[in-house]
Amino acid sequence: MPGENLSREEARERARILSVDGYEIALDLRSATRPDEDTFRSVTTIRFRSAQPGTATFVDLLARSVESVVLNGVELDPASVFDGTRIAIDGLAAENVLTVDARCVYSRTGEGMHRFADPEDGETYLYTQYEPADARRVFANFEQPDLKAPFTFTVTAPAHWTVLSNEDRAGEPQKADPASATWHFAPTKPISTYITAVVAGPYHLAHDHYSRSFDDGTVLEIPLGALCRASLAPHFDADDIFTVTKQGLDFFHDTFDYPYPFGKYDQAFVPEYNIGAMENPGCVTFREEFVFRGKVTQAAYEGRANVILHEMAHMWFGDLVTMQWWDDLWLKESFADFMGAYAQVEATRFTDGWITFANRRKAWAYRADQLPSTHPVTADIHDLQDAKLNFDGITYAKGASVLKQLVAYVGPDAFLEAARRYFKRHAYGNTTLADLLAVLEETSGRDMAQWSRAWLQTAGVNALTPDAVYDTADRITELAVLQTAAESHPELRPHRVAVGLYRRAAGGALERYARAETDVTGPRTVVAELAGAERPELILVNDEDLTYCKIRFDPRSLDTLRKHLGDLSDPLARALSWSAVWNLTRDAAMPAREYIGLVLRFAGQESDIGVLQSLHQQARTALHHYAAPQWRAEGARALADGALSELRKAEPGSGHQLAWARFFASVASSAADLQLLGGLLGGNAKIDGLEIDQELRWSFLEPLAAAGEADEAAIADELARDDTASGRRHQVRCLAARPSAEVKAQVWASVVESDILSNALVEASIAGFDQPGQEALLAPYADRYFAVIDRIWSERSIEIGMAIVRGLFPRYRAGQETVDAAGAWLDAHADAAPALRRLVLEARDDLSRALRAQARDR
């Protein structure tokens, strides 16, 4: 639809002439419990002003139909003014009242008003998800972040439901009919459309309370809520969620010196959610996978705490103060990513959060920053499709890494004081980069323009390499840091770094004995403080992870890591070294089999469970994408043997044992390995301390299905044990994994030729479809992929379009053929949607990188 993709220029023009005083939105959701009805009534009244009376504008709405449009008391013909995406209005007065009565559609894609039927109890659950621009699927509005306004919601729904919105309800629900009630909610503070929210259904709701006294004698009282589907309630650890929530509120009040501004604080864990979470003020939504049905490692709890704190940071960065347009998306996401990790380390039990940040989050950034679609942290966002794709590793993890560098550059006190001034100066308003730089200059006394140009307005990642010269007594005469950049993005940046010198101690541990902190500028920077130090076995540039860069090594240091990486005693230094050798592997500077060898030798010594699980994931990627195809069978056997050995050695019942069990299942390929998995499932085999709960059962069943050792009946039997929402997703994935041409054809048809599946089942189908070792079965779909993606992009929602274009890209077809096919498609579709072209370009680049790595591995 031509009007669906709002451009930046259209938004600027609309913001130039309009200001919005408020919305009144009435939603009738009683139809949600009737599966044959796919729409609901949405009545919206918008009160707004025009700086240019007599002009025209438009209101955004994606709806099945519009029943009536009334502007300033005059009825307009819906057929004349509504084109399916926009309502055209003209002859505006200085002050205007617009009322739109529409039939909006329940979503199965996680966009707009998502409807989910619980297979366990048959109950219906609703929630909204809008970012960047899907509020228009639920009510008529001006869908852009800089037209903030108060929102007053009224919701009619089944009387036994829990109904929540951003603000607390105004009084008790009123009876609408014998089976239904109407909830009235208080007006919100001025917020953007994309962070309004409604959650409705028979949710299980836990309550708690937070209280905070301030120096001026005032007391802030915040009601807390945590909710999930009723069938998940036995697994819901609300107490831990409330603990982290209270710790976060304490931290942010201490740090920001600005009281939480949005009244209550509910956190809803909802089904079939496309993203990790969303920062709707007063009504935060999370994917319900954060409600753990089985045993998980501490890394899972740490990850959930990080997301809770990330979303909480948004209450200030993003909700209270919002970017003017999506160009400055980083103003909220980079800050939330950084402050989430900062709060986690300073205020919760997860004190190793910076290790996870260095090893996992930054890996996301490094990948994104080396794609042809890389962009500056402050991006050039032309329209909403651009915005959707820029929720990426640059905007989140690189931006957060840059902020970590900024803290090292200006100091934590200046950085946090700038944040305090920023909130007080721009509360309930919209900002750009210039507004942030202004307060940073005030508090730091530094000219931020040069720093901003280098770090925020250029793309690409630098590499830092040590270069040491020694005298005859084996002491350093000069140690320099060499900085390089890719030809495509040649910017050399100022880096505040620590350089650590390491050697083995008497017990064999590799320990730091000297350190210097310095400012790296230009291609070569001498670290004078380390002159005269004894020759190290390892020089670690960017020790302590102060900056954002790829760490490289001199030959002696790399040789030390090959022999002693697991002996590094400091967990952060070890995580940084693992990250560095992974980047070498991705860059075809280290053979994939050598990286896998490092994992086999040293992963068993890794104490940090999050790092260990990253190593497992990266080892699988190295095997299936970066290793030479001729070596993969040998590599798979080595990984499976190593995983089984570590599984048997791990402490019974520990998180490490669970992680090795999952890894073993993911790489099992031999008859003996598959027989063991079958035995563990059937109870004929046992590993001391390993509890085979339902989630682990599905993890064991998938490789059996992919190998043809578990048929449709076996998968049906497993579903009978676990006929839940999670169980059905696992079932679909296992069914799709079976090595059969008929199966692959069925999966392709269900995803590509039909839109019946929900977003969660599309995701599960795609995950099962593409299995290592099934290249011959999948080869026929390579050409079909390029034939359909343009149609998919035009017919499906952007969320489903992204899932299909990314997930079904034919990376399984060996050699250059797919790279060339992608290039031919790009050449032939120069006028295709830029967002679609970007996805294909990124996938082609990933495959080209893999081919270079395979050549190196050979």
Side-chain angles (χ1 to χ4, degrees), residues 26 33 80 97 138 141 153 223 262 280 335 379 403 410 442 487 507 596 658 692 781 788 834:
T33 58
S80 299
V97 179
V138 176
N141 64 75
F153 284 93
F262 297 110
N280 315 306
F335 275 88
L403 292 177
V410 303
E442 290 173 16
E487 289 183 11
I596 289 171
L658 177 60
I692 314 293
Y781 297 96
V788 302

Side-chain angles (χ1 to χ4, degrees), residues 745-757 762 765 796:
Q746 290 171 351
V747 176
W748 180 270
S750 68
V751 171
V752 174
E753 306 303 336
S754 166
D755 63 356
I756 293 175
L757 296 180
V762 166
S765 299
R796 303 294 184 89

Side-chain angles (χ1 to χ4, degrees), residues 102 171 267 290 372 425:
Q267 297 175 98
F290 287 124
R425 192 169 299 173

Side-chain angles (χ1 to χ4, degrees), residues 507-522:
L510 196 56
E511 296 182 347
R512 189 171 71 188
Y513 66 93
R515 171 195 183 276
E517 198 168 310
T518 191
D519 290 312
V520 171
T521 57

Side-chain angles (χ1 to χ4, degrees), residues 31-314:
S31 60
T33 58
R34 300 189 286 271
D36 57 328
E37 295 190 33
D38 64 350
T39 65
F40 59 94
R41 188 182 184 195
S42 169
V43 181
T44 305
T45 297
I46 314 175
R47 303 179 191 279
F48 64 100
R49 285 167 285 145
S50 171
Q52 294 182 346
T55 57
T57 189
F58 60 91
V59 174
D60 301 294
L61 177 66
L62 301 177
R64 173 73 53 78
S65 63
V66 171
E67 307 303 316
S68 69
V69 179
V70 180
L71 176 63
N72 298 330
V74 177
E75 288 201 26
L76 308 180
D77 177 16
S80 299
V81 299
F82 179 57
D83 66 0
T85 66
R86 295 177 176 182
I87 298 172
I89 51 177
D90 59 15
L92 296 180
E95 296 185 0
N96 302 274
V97 179
L98 174 72
T99 299
V100 178
D101 189 343
R103 300 296 303 185
C104 294
V105 180
Y106 293 112
S107 169
R108 291 279 282 153
T109 66
E111 301 153 295
M113 179 70 75
H114 188 80
R115 177 167 64 172
F116 173 81
D118 191 331
E120 288 187 76
D121 56 19
E123 292 282 8
T124 299
Y125 292 87
L126 304 176
Y127 64 85
T128 57
Q129 170 58 30
Y130 299 149
E131 192 173 40
D134 284 319
R136 56 194 169 147
R137 296 181 185 273
V138 176
F139 60 92
N141 64 75
F142 300 114
E143 188 82 279
Q144 59 192 78
D146 59 344
L147 287 177
K148 286 185 163 184
F151 293 79
T152 304
F153 284 93
T154 300
V155 178
T156 301
H160 70 287
W161 279 14
T162 295
V163 180
L164 300 174
S165 187
N166 301 89
E167 280 291 337
D168 213 344
R169 66 191 187 198
E172 293 299 312
Q174 299 174 345
K175 196 168 189 179
D177 60 47
S180 306
T182 299
W183 284 256
H184 298 272
F185 295 93
T188 70
K189 299 289 196 301
I191 58 176
S192 302
T193 53
Y194 76 91
I195 50 175
T196 59
V198 170
V199 174
Y203 285 92
H204 166 76
L205 176 60
H207 294 281
D208 206 330
H209 190 268
Y210 173 85
S211 180
R212 172 75 181 217
S213 298
F214 295 97
D215 292 341
D216 62 2
T218 59
V219 178
L220 178 66
E221 305 287 351
I222 304 176
L224 305 179
L227 55 157
C228 68
R229 286 186 293 120
S231 58
L232 277 179
H235 308 289
F236 195 40
D237 52 341
D239 287 346
D240 189 52
I241 291 165
F242 287 136
T243 295
V244 173
T245 301
K246 293 175 185 178
Q247 290 169 332
L249 288 169
D250 274 340
F251 174 82
F252 288 122
H253 283 130
D254 288 341
T255 303
F256 291 158
D257 190 31
Y258 194 108
Y260 171 71
F262 297 110
K264 67 182 179 69
Y265 201 82
D266 291 326
Q267 297 175 98
F269 294 78
V270 297
E272 297 189 326
Y273 206 48
N274 286 322
I275 58 175
M278 184 64 208
E279 66 268 18
N280 315 306
C283 192
V284 185
T285 41
F286 298 81
R287 63 187 300 119
E288 70 177 15
E289 284 77 4
F290 287 124
V291 180
F292 305 124
R293 297 198 316 147
K295 183 175 180 178
V296 296
T297 68
Q298 278 301 301
Y301 288 100
E302 179 187 319
R304 182 176 71 182
N306 180 269
V307 175
I308 289 172
L309 296 169
H310 174 113
E311 303 310 320
M312 189 179 292
H314 272 311

Side-chain angles (χ1 to χ4, degrees), residues 4-9 131-133 136 325-329 373 375-376 379-392 395 793 798 802 806 832-839 842:
E4 189 169 340
N5 192 14
L6 179 73
S7 73
R8 178 174 53 200
E9 288 68 30
E131 192 173 40
R136 56 194 169 147
W325 176 249
W326 301 101
D327 293 346
D328 284 309
L329 174 62
S373 58
H375 55 86
D380 185 20
I381 303 298
H382 297 282
D383 53 40
L384 293 177
Q385 287 194 6
D386 276 1
K388 183 71 173 179
L389 266 64
N390 263 43
F391 289 82
D392 60 10
T395 301
W793 195 259
I798 190 169
M802 287 166 57
R806 280 178 173 153
L836 172 59
R837 286 179 54 82
R838 171 176 167 170
L839 292 174
E842 289 177 347

Side-chain angles (χ1 to χ4, degrees), residues 30 67 89 136 142 151 157 196 205 217 277 287 306 327 396 403 407 465 484 499 572 619 625 678 724 784 789 848:
R30 285 175 288 187
E67 307 303 316
I89 51 177
R136 56 194 169 147
F142 300 114
F151 293 79
T196 59
L205 176 60
R287 63 187 300 119
N306 180 269
D327 293 346
Y396 284 73
L403 292 177
V407 172
T465 307
T484 57
V499 180
L572 180 55
H625 297 287
T724 64
R784 296 186 202 177
I789 54 175
S848 297

